[in-house]
Amino acid sequence: MDKTRPLGLFGGTFDPIHLGHIIPISAAADICDIDHVALIPNFLPSHKQAANSSPEHRLAMLERVCADYPLFHTETWELKQQALSYSFYTLEMLRKRHPQRSLCFFIGSDSLHTLPSWHRWQELLGLCHFVVCQREPTKPDKQSEQQKQHVTALLAQHQITEPQALHKKLAGCIYLANTVPFNVSSTWIRAELAQGRVPDNMLPKAVSAYILEHKLYQSNAII
Ligand code: ATP
């Protein structure tokens, strides 16, 4: 890995990881000329209910994805903290580890809308860039009027239109990547699996095989 090139970061619950994660982020990484993206599974999400599958299963599925998609590797720091996961602390740790490297945090556009609810959100752009992939809303938009105003102000100050800027600065830019929306969520996949249907067209092959082998998501119980 060339440590002078930008490092992509992609955090989530990944319960399970699906093609809506992999395809838009791969496309955005390509547009931005980023060749390494760390998948960062959270231990306990700070903004939603606990995961349905154990950290071990969620990580095992990510490792299968990394074996098939060389763009990705796993970063298990949040799992090792065994506490609520806040991106701020993960980014602070990664900034210390990579003081001279551009850090590009990939998120879906739904996450950009709620960014002003993240812990210490005003400090995040001091630590990383954000690369935003298009995502059509899967749930009612939870963005408040105040959050809308904050996001508009963030974009006015930080949005860039040329992705090369992500290589020139270490942090501080927001790039809205023109990726094709891939409409799926882990919630929908879990609901399909709980009904006995395997949505193969929305999951990497190795992940559906893992889910079937370990009988994951067959009910709402935490496994
Ligand atoms: P859940 O349905 O359990 O809430 P999810 O499918 O939204 O899960 P997460 O693991 O919570 O997935 O998402 C992590 C990140 O992936 C977030 O930045 C989210 O915006 C992004 N993301 C998830 N699904 C998509 C998608 N289909 N297209 C683009 N971005 C996505």
Side-chain angles (χ1 to χ4, degrees), residues 14-80:
F14 302 122
D15 190 24
I17 187 163
H18 51 68
L19 291 177
H21 293 125
I22 295 169
I23 291 177
I25 274 54
S26 303
D30 197 32
I31 294 169
C32 299
D33 188 24
I34 292 173
D35 37 31
H36 287 286
V37 176
L39 298 173
I40 312 175
N42 55 42
F43 181 70
L44 281 174
S46 54
H47 59 289
K48 58 185 187 185
Q49 281 190 326
N52 286 59
S53 285
S54 66
E56 292 74 20
H57 280 313
R58 291 185 290 119
L59 178 60
M61 291 187 272
L62 295 186
E63 280 166 353
R64 275 155 183 75
V65 166
C66 295
D68 289 342
Y69 297 82
L71 173 66
F72 297 112
H73 64 278
T74 55
E75 164 55 63
T76 54
W77 188 82
E78 288 188 1
L79 292 185
K80 289 186 190 130

Side-chain angles (χ1 to χ4, degrees), residues 29-189:
D30 197 32
I31 294 169
C32 299
D33 188 24
I34 292 173
D35 37 31
H36 287 286
V37 176
L39 298 173
I40 312 175
N42 55 42
F43 181 70
L44 281 174
S46 54
H47 59 289
K48 58 185 187 185
Q49 281 190 326
N52 286 59
S53 285
S54 66
E56 292 74 20
H57 280 313
R58 291 185 290 119
L59 178 60
M61 291 187 272
L62 295 186
E63 280 166 353
R64 275 155 183 75
V65 166
C66 295
D68 289 342
Y69 297 82
L71 173 66
F72 297 112
H73 64 278
T74 55
E75 164 55 63
T76 54
W77 188 82
E78 288 188 1
L79 292 185
K80 289 186 190 130
Q81 303 312 300
Q82 307 222 337
L84 274 183
S85 304
Y86 294 104
S87 299
F88 173 81
Y89 298 111
T90 314
L91 286 164
E92 201 178 43
M93 175 282 293
L94 287 166
R95 178 46 72 209
K96 283 192 190 130
R97 197 193 279 173
H98 303 285
Q100 294 306 326
R101 201 164 176 190
S102 159
L103 297 177
C104 297
F105 199 120
F106 289 82
I107 54 175
S109 46
D110 57 317
S111 297
L112 174 66
H113 293 164
T114 55
L115 195 65
S117 66
W118 293 23
H119 186 59
R120 297 178 70 167
W121 65 274
Q122 276 121 325
E123 294 162 78
L124 299 176
L125 278 154
L127 295 166
C128 69
H129 302 297
F130 282 102
V131 175
V132 183
C133 297
Q134 303 302 317
R135 184 183 195 189
E136 281 166 17
T138 47
K139 319 173 191 159
D141 199 345
K142 287 196 209 138
Q143 194 185 28
S144 68
E145 266 317 306
Q146 196 190 31
Q147 285 178 345
K148 267 187 204 158
Q149 286 168 14
H150 286 318
V151 173
T152 305
L154 278 179
L155 288 172
Q157 199 184 340
H158 297 278
Q159 188 179 356
I160 52 159
T161 50
E162 296 302 329
Q164 291 85 339
L166 302 169
H167 291 245
K168 293 185 185 136
K169 290 177 67 184
L170 301 183
C173 302
I174 303 178
Y175 179 66
L176 305 184
N178 191 13
T179 51
V180 179
F182 194 106
N183 272 343
V184 64
S185 67
S186 299
T187 303
W188 180 81
I189 286 176

Side-chain angles (χ1 to χ4, degrees), residues 198-212:
V198 183
D200 272 331
N201 53 343
M202 299 292 175
L203 289 166
K205 271 203 179 66
V207 172
S208 29
Y210 187 93
I211 288 172
L212 291 177

